[in-house]
């Protein structure tokens, strides 16, 4: 069967062209190899990187609650109990306009009631309460963090790595007003306040939990 | 303000009450019957996944190449596309991908303090190397963005080739801007404006979901709109694919010029058999090529100059410059809403003049970078103009190496291939109807 | 005939699934817009009630109203999150069904391609070349216009380099005072 309009020019591709293509290909391979090798030697780490908040820089601006690509933000508040004063009048728990020291809605600072207040002990006429973050309720707005910063600052925000999808460009980092978002090694993907870290380091001699926490914390 | 004062006094009162000498920190009490718990943070247990991903990427690239070039199975490619969407898209949630990795590599090349994970480097390099030898098989069924558009291309129409050529310039410009922003640490705009990642994560910011939805809807009628008219990594692959050693061959033996492949390719990547030109036209073509070659340096220089005008607009994408503008606006009393960033800056006590100085330094950098971006634009445009003016000779219909994404539709529809597969007895069975109707005389031979 | 019937089934399935997806998509967008425009956790009514309570601490009615509103707003917040989560899965299902059905329908109702045969008289690439150059020219003009437009419309308040060096001392003086 003869095709209609048989090809007009059936000239073979000239050898010169083939040679140039081959040359360009091998040049490209060499260039990619060289560039890749140089980058691998200079900058690479076999470790993966993760996003984390440096609590020393964070000003708890509430962007973390709204800017995350996840509907439920990967950022949550963390309580460092060893830094907490167990105050009866907790500035991270109570609204500045509180009326009574109880758990009623009008007295709470947290918009979702994620800070849990439990009475621990009464000592020398003073009541002590333990404040724990309910992870399921916390939306990472940082209101408690801002409140607590007036006192001990034991509450701080962290990216939770069981939730974070590790975007190449973190949307919260883009919106962060103080560039508190840093890339840290995935082996030790958490950061602590300097003071909190000192306290945990003191505790690490006695407690295995404290040691395992420190193993998760970025050394820098 | 009031409340802060109130809390401050409360803090002092509390500190006095607890009897702490240094009124700054309230000590953690020691309880008689309660141990102070240690903070717990969830473990990041998926450190191994990126390496698994690299292995799967290599495997998928190999499989895609085999299916597209050796097995010539369109069905296999579609199945692989589904698998890629499920794995790289929905399961691994679209990060990291080679398209975005371009920016990490650019940043690592310019910022010595940036740590580039090996997996990211591998994600960037592997598809490039494969493309140099086998064409864009990565685009065919491995890239989740390409795959999801491939699956969406239900009834693609042909985009006019001339429009295709012109719109095809956009990815190169996007690539230039993306690399510049990444290298200066301004941001990863390719990731920020990734249209499909919100789908893969089943959530995200609404404008991007709407944009992605529109693109997917458009993709039903226009094959792969993102790959062809936006994807910056695709722009690199297009160039490298031109030097590929092997590529998709449409017909297994002799082309019968039935045009079915050209008709069925949704990506406008099939180039027809060329016809011999009269001498006069050839001379005209040569003149046009000369004009374009002469135009190239003019375009590059003009755009290089124009690009320097972008110093201010480009630099304002950088966080430092934005902050400086904000602080300055508040300093001058310009009607600007107060921002957390400016307030935090003032609290830090750093002098504003230092901030302005570094912002101005950045703007100077963007002056030259804008020039370079302009020159790149001129280069890309002149390359396209020269490409449009060069005549090539082709015997039979061929897939254009740069534009072909190895989707396999062309050989799936090729009558000669169907004969080879034993589906039909002779090519005329597939094309007889129209061939007979339109050119009875030529066919009767 | 059977093939035609099947085609119809698939086409109708695709149509129904597409409509369903569009409805879900519309609902999701509407919900997201609502959430953006009126975040339940920043409800002005709640803030107003709180202020009222601060002014009149003994207003038991306001206290009760505030507590009820608080519960309602929290519920609304988490309900919206759940709504999006479920909605996206429903949308995904709808889109998947649409695509599969539409592809099947397209395959079963394949239009016979009737490309005209290439003619030897006219070079098919000539118009592409001519229009291509024109379109590239249009893009060149567009890019140039965008550059100029961006340059003209982007204001900057940053001081000039020279200005910065001179008043640098005065600002530090001012800070000392």
């Amino acid at each position: 069967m003869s095709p209609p309009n048989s090809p007009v020019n059936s000239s073979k591709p000239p050898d010169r062209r083939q040679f140039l293509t081959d040359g360009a290909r091998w040049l490209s391979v060499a260039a990619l190899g060289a560039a890749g090798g140089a980058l691998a030697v200079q900058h690479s780490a076999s470790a993966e990187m993760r996003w984390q908040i440096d609590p020393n820089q964070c000003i708890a601006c509430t962007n973390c609650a709204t800017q995350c690509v996840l509907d439920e933000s990967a950022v949550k508040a963390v309580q460092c109990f060893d830094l907490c004063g167990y105050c009866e009048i907790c500035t991270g728990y109570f609204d500045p306009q509180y009326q009574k020291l109880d758990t009623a809605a009008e007295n709470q600072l947290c918009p979702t009631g994620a800070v849990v207040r439990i009475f621990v002990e009464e000592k020398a006429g003073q009541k002590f309460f333990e404040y724990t973050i309910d992870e399921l309720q916390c939306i990472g707005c940082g209101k408690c963090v801002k409140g607590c910063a007036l006192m001990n600052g034991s509450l701080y925000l962290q990216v939770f790595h069981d939730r974070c999808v590790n975007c190449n460009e973190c949307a919260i980092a883009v919106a962060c007003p103080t560039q508190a978002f840093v890339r840290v090694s995935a082996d030790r993907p958490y950061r602590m306040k300097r003071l909190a870290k000192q306290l945990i380091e003191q505790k690490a001699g006695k407690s295995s939990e404290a040691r395992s926490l420190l193993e998760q914390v970025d050394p820098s | 303000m009031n409340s802060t004062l109130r809390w401050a006094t409360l803090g002092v009162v509390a500190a006095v009450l607890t009897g702490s000498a240094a009124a700054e920190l309230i000590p953690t009490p020691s309880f008689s019957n309660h141990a102070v718990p240690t903070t717990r943070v969830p473990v990041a247990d998926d450190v191994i996944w990126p390496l698994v991903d690299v292995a799967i990427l290599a495997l998928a690239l190999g499989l895609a190449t085999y299916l597209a070039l050796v097995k010539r199975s369109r069905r296999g490619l579609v199945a692989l596309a589904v698998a890629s969407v499920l794995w790289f898209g929905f399961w691994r949630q679209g990060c990291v991908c080679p398209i975005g990795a371009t920016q990490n590599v650019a940043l690592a090349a310019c910022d010595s303090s940036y740590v580039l994970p090996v997996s990211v480097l591998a994600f960037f390099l592997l598809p490039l190397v494969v493309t140099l030898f086998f064409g864009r098989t990565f685009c065919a069924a491995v890239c989740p963005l390409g795959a999801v558009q491939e699956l969406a291309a239900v009834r693609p129409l042909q985009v006019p080739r001339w429009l295709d050529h012109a719109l095809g310039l956009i990815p190169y410009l996007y690539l230039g801007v993306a690399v510049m922003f990444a290298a200066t640490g301004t941001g990863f705009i390719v990731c920020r404006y990734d249209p499909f990642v919100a789908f893969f994560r089943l959530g995200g910011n609404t404008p991007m979901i709407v944009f992605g939805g529109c693109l997917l809807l458009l993709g039903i009628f226009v094959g792969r709109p993102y790959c062809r008219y936006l994807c910056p990594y695709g722009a690199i692959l297009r160039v490298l694919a031109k030097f590929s050693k092997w590529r998709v061959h449409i017909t297994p033996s002799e082309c019968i010029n039935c045009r079915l492949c050209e008709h069925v390719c949704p990506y406008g990547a099939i180039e027809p058999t060329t016809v011999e030109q009269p001498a006069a036209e050839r001379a005209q073509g040569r003149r046009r090529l000369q004009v374009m070659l002469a135009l190239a340096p003019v375009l590059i220089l003009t755009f290089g100059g124009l690009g320097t005008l972008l110093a201010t607009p480009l630099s304002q994408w950088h966080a430092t410059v934005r902050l400086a503008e904000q602080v300055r606006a508040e300093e001058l009393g310009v009607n600007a809403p107060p921002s957390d960033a400016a307030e935090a800056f003032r609290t830090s006590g750093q002098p504003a003049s230092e901030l302005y100085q570094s912002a101005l330094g950045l703007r100077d950098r963007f002056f030259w970078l804008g020039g370079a971006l302009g020159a790149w634009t001129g280069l890309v445009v002149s390359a396209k103009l020269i490409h449009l003016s060069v005549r090539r000779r082709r015997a039979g219909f061929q897939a254009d190496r740069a534009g072909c994404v190895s989707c396999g539709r062309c050989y799936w529809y090729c009558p000669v291939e169907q004969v080879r597969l034993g589906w039909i007895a002779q090519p005329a069975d597939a094309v007889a109807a129209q061939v007979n109707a339109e050119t009875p005389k030529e066919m009767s031979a | 005939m059977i093939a035609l019937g099947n085609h119809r089934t698939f086409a109708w399935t695709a149509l129904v699934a597409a409509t369903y997806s569009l409805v879900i998509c519309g609902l999701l967008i509407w919900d997201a817009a609502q959430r953006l425009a009126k975040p339940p956790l920043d409800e002005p009514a709640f803030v107003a009630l709180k202020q009222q309570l601060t002014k009149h601490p003994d207003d038991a009615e306001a206290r009760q109203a505030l507590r009820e509103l608080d519960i309602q707003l929290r519920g609304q917040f988490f309900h919206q999150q759940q709504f999006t989560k479920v909605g996206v899965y429903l949308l995904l299902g709808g889109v998947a069904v649409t695509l599969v059905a539409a592809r099947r329908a397209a395959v079963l109702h394949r239009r016979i391609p009737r490309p005209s045969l290439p003619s030897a008289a006219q070079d098919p690439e000539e118009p592409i070349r001519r229009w291509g150059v024109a379109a590239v020219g249009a893009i060149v003009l567009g890019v140039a216009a965008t550059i100029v437009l961006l340059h003209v419309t982007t204001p900057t308040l940053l001081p000039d380099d020279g200005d910065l060096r001179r008043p640098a001392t005065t600002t530090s003086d001012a800070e000392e005072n």
Side-chain angles (χ1 to χ4, degrees):
Chain A
M1 119 137 247
S2 80
N5 293 323
S6 58
V8 184
N9 35 47
S10 49
S11 61
K12 279 191 295 182
D15 285 342
R16 190 173 52 128
R17 196 183 168 118
Q18 189 60 46
F19 175 76
L20 285 176
T21 308
D22 282 343
R25 177 168 56 254
W26 285 111
L27 259 177
S28 308
V29 170
L32 283 179
L39 282 172
V41 169
Q42 278 187 7
H43 303 280
S44 275
S46 53
E48 296 298 315
M49 302 308 276
R50 293 270 187 279
W51 290 103
Q52 192 48 274
I53 299 172
D54 182 357
N56 298 306
Q57 305 238 50
C58 172
I59 56 164
C61 65
T62 73
N63 272 346
C64 288
T66 51
Q67 300 292 324
C68 185
V69 293
L70 302 175
D71 266 328
E72 190 188 344
S73 176
V75 173
K76 310 244 168 209
V78 170
Q79 163 76 298
C80 177
F81 298 97
D82 296 279
L83 188 56
C84 179
Y86 284 75
C87 315
E88 187 183 8
I89 311 171
C90 172
T91 48
Y93 185 83
F94 288 111
D95 191 290
Q97 317 289 337
Y98 75 91
Q99 301 194 318
K100 264 175 84 182
L101 293 178
D102 63 15
T103 56
E106 67 270 21
N107 301 327
Q108 277 194 45
L109 189 59
C110 179
T112 57
V115 187
V116 181
R117 171 178 148 107
I118 295 165
F119 174 70
V120 180
E121 206 173 274
E122 185 163 355
K123 232 178 165 184
Q126 221 187 328
K127 286 178 182 161
F128 292 105
F129 291 84
E130 188 163 273
Y131 299 91
T132 316
I133 306 291
D134 179 356
E135 201 191 300
L136 291 175
Q137 307 275 316
C138 179
I139 57 167
C141 69
K143 284 188 175 140
C144 58
V145 175
K146 212 167 188 167
C148 184
L150 297 169
M151 304 289 262
N152 277 12
S154 67
L155 291 168
Y156 57 97
L157 291 174
Q158 286 286 276
V159 175
F160 275 37
H161 289 298
D162 57 340
R163 295 169 187 278
C164 177
V165 291
N166 200 25
C167 299
N168 204 14
E169 181 184 63
C170 171
I172 317 176
V174 173
C176 179
T178 53
Q179 264 121 71
F181 269 75
V182 287
R183 290 186 176 93
V184 295
S185 163
D187 308 337
R188 312 183 118 197
Y190 290 93
R191 282 225 166 167
M192 271 183 142
K193 283 196 168 177
R194 279 179 217 104
L195 207 54
K197 204 175 163 198
Q198 283 168 16
L199 289 168
I200 296 287
E201 272 162 359
Q202 285 166 18
K203 198 182 179 185
K206 289 169 277 177
S207 146
S208 63
E209 277 178 330
R211 275 196 299 279
S212 69
L213 176 63
L214 280 176
E215 273 164 25
Q216 294 250 55
V217 172
D218 186 44
S220 58
Chain B
M1 199 59 212
N2 241 340
S3 62
T4 316
L5 266 179
R6 185 175 170 193
W7 277 128
T9 37
L10 267 176
V12 173
V13 170
V16 170
L17 279 178
T18 42
S20 118
E24 282 171 354
L25 207 61
I26 301 157
T28 308
S30 48
F31 299 113
S32 49
N33 197 19
H34 177 74
V36 173
T38 304
T39 316
R40 284 226 186 108
V41 281
V43 186
D45 53 353
D46 55 353
V47 176
I48 195 71
W49 279 121
L51 296 176
V52 175
D53 275 345
V54 172
I56 290 180
L57 175 73
L59 199 74
L61 278 170
L63 195 58
T65 305
Y66 170 75
L67 288 171
L69 302 191
V70 184
K71 187 88 195 304
R72 293 163 71 85
S73 163
R74 162 103 185 119
R75 217 164 264 167
L77 283 170
V78 169
L80 185 61
V82 172
S84 292
V85 168
L86 290 179
W87 178 265
F88 290 115
F90 287 106
W91 181 246
R92 301 294 299 138
Q93 307 202 300
C95 260
V96 63
C97 73
I99 306 173
T102 313
Q103 303 165 102
N104 301 53
V105 171
L107 178 55
C110 294
D111 178 1
S112 54
S113 66
Y114 176 71
V115 180
L116 181 69
V118 170
S119 62
V120 176
L121 187 61
F123 257 76
F124 175 68
L125 286 179
L126 271 177
L128 296 185
V129 174
V130 168
T131 302
L132 272 172
F133 287 92
F134 306 104
R136 294 167 63 183
T137 51
F138 166 72
C139 302
V142 183
C143 175
L145 285 83
V148 82
Q149 291 174 91
E150 179 70 46
L151 298 177
V154 175
R155 198 159 296 276
L157 308 168
Q158 302 268 350
V159 177
R161 289 295 297 276
W162 55 270
L163 188 60
D164 204 48
H165 276 297
L167 292 178
L169 288 173
I170 299 170
Y172 293 98
L173 308 188
Y174 192 17
L175 174 70
V177 177
V179 166
M180 184 189 67
F181 276 157
T184 50
T186 307
F188 287 0
I189 54 166
V190 176
C191 299
R192 207 177 298 175
Y193 302 115
D194 182 333
F196 301 120
V197 77
F199 280 111
F200 295 148
R201 292 189 177 140
L202 306 179
N205 78 34
T206 317
M208 283 321 289
I209 294 182
V210 173
F211 175 53
C214 292
L215 218 54
L216 216 52
L217 219 60
L218 181 70
I220 296 178
F221 305 106
V222 176
R224 296 191 183 228
Y226 183 78
C227 305
R228 286 157 81 194
Y229 307 130
L230 279 172
C231 180
Y233 193 68
I236 308 177
L237 292 180
R238 280 183 76 97
V239 175
L240 295 187
K242 288 194 175 162
F243 311 126
S244 69
K245 188 160 179 65
W246 293 279
R247 62 163 148 176
V248 166
H249 281 286
I250 301 169
T251 177
S253 51
E254 198 182 5
C255 177
I256 59 166
N257 286 308
C258 67
R259 296 188 70 189
L260 276 179
C261 54
E262 188 192 17
H263 183 87
V264 86
C265 176
Y267 312 125
I270 308 282
E271 291 181 319
T273 308
T274 48
V275 292
E276 194 65 59
Q277 270 188 321
E281 260 183 54
R282 259 203 309 246
Q284 197 199 347
R286 224 172 286 133
R287 268 201 305 282
R288 181 151 48 186
L289 180 60
Q290 280 163 358
V291 170
M292 295 305 178
L293 281 171
L295 198 61
V298 178
L299 272 173
I300 293 173
L301 285 177
T302 311
F303 268 97
L306 266 178
T308 57
L309 293 179
L310 287 173
T312 304
L314 286 180
S315 67
Q316 286 183 1
W317 283 70
H318 198 284
T320 307
V321 180
R322 265 207 311 273
L323 176 64
E325 294 275 1
Q326 179 79 33
V327 170
R328 179 73 174 170
E330 288 177 24
E331 184 185 294
L332 293 176
V334 178
N335 191 14
S339 76
D340 289 329
E343 200 188 318
F345 174 76
R346 276 193 298 273
T347 318
S348 76
Q350 200 197 338
S353 57
E354 262 175 43
L355 178 69
Y356 297 152
Q357 206 89 57
S358 62
L360 288 174
L362 275 165
R363 195 164 74 188
D364 285 346
R365 248 181 110 188
F366 274 103
F367 177 85
W368 295 109
L369 285 168
L373 185 67
W376 166 251
T377 307
L379 180 74
V380 167
V381 168
S382 15
K384 176 56 87 182
L385 288 176
I386 291 169
H387 175 85
L388 279 172
S389 312
V390 174
R391 280 191 56 82
R392 288 159 204 82
R393 289 179 171 185
R394 280 179 305 269
F397 282 73
Q398 286 178 8
D400 161 36
R401 283 170 204 249
C404 173
V405 294
S406 326
C407 71
R409 280 190 184 82
C410 49
Y411 47 68
W412 200 246
Y413 279 83
C414 177
V416 185
E417 171 79 359
Q418 294 189 0
V419 171
R420 184 182 76 93
L421 292 171
W423 296 356
I424 54 176
Q426 53 173 335
D429 291 352
V431 283
Q434 34 111 20
V435 170
N436 285 339
E438 283 170 30
T439 52
K441 270 183 193 156
E442 279 146 305
M443 273 308 289
S444 58
Chain C
M1 276 327 268
I2 293 162
L4 196 69
N6 271 343
H7 158 70
R8 249 189 218 154
T9 320
F10 280 118
W12 274 107
T13 312
L15 199 67
V16 170
T19 317
Y20 159 86
S21 308
L22 279 178
V23 168
I24 298 268
C25 194
L27 278 176
L28 281 175
I29 291 173
W30 180 77
D31 180 66
Q34 283 276 306
R35 208 165 11 146
L36 280 180
K38 212 169 126 243
L41 296 183
D42 303 337
E43 174 70 36
F46 186 76
V47 180
L49 266 178
K50 224 169 191 178
Q51 271 170 357
Q52 195 190 335
L53 201 61
T54 315
K55 270 186 215 147
H56 315 282
D58 302 321
D59 192 343
E61 216 170 277
R63 183 175 301 137
Q64 195 52 38
L66 184 130
R67 287 179 186 177
E68 274 164 18
L69 187 61
D70 178 65
I71 286 283
Q72 188 207 323
L73 290 176
R74 282 186 210 183
Q76 198 184 335
F77 177 80
F78 286 109
H79 179 260
Q80 278 180 343
Q81 262 186 5
Q82 199 59 30
F83 181 85
T84 315
K85 218 178 254 175
V86 173
V88 166
Y89 275 103
L90 293 178
L91 178 65
L92 201 69
V95 169
V97 171
T98 312
L99 280 184
V100 169
R103 286 181 79 90
R104 285 311 301 167
V107 165
L108 287 171
H109 188 67
R110 190 170 284 160
R111 274 179 260 167
I112 297 167
R114 290 176 172 278
S116 58
L117 290 178
S119 67
Q122 204 206 351
D123 183 359
E125 293 199 14
E126 193 50 37
I128 294 174
R129 215 167 291 145
R130 204 174 312 124
W131 283 97
V133 170
V136 170
I139 289 222
V140 165
L141 288 180
V143 170
T146 312
I147 291 176
V148 173
L149 202 71
L150 275 175
H151 174 71
V152 172
T153 56
T154 316
T156 174
L157 296 166
L158 291 182
D160 286 336
D161 245 337
D163 291 350
L164 201 61
R165 272 185 211 110
R166 266 179 285 111
T169 47
T170 51
T171 30
S172 57
D173 285 346
E175 270 165 18
E176 277 164 25
N177 299 333

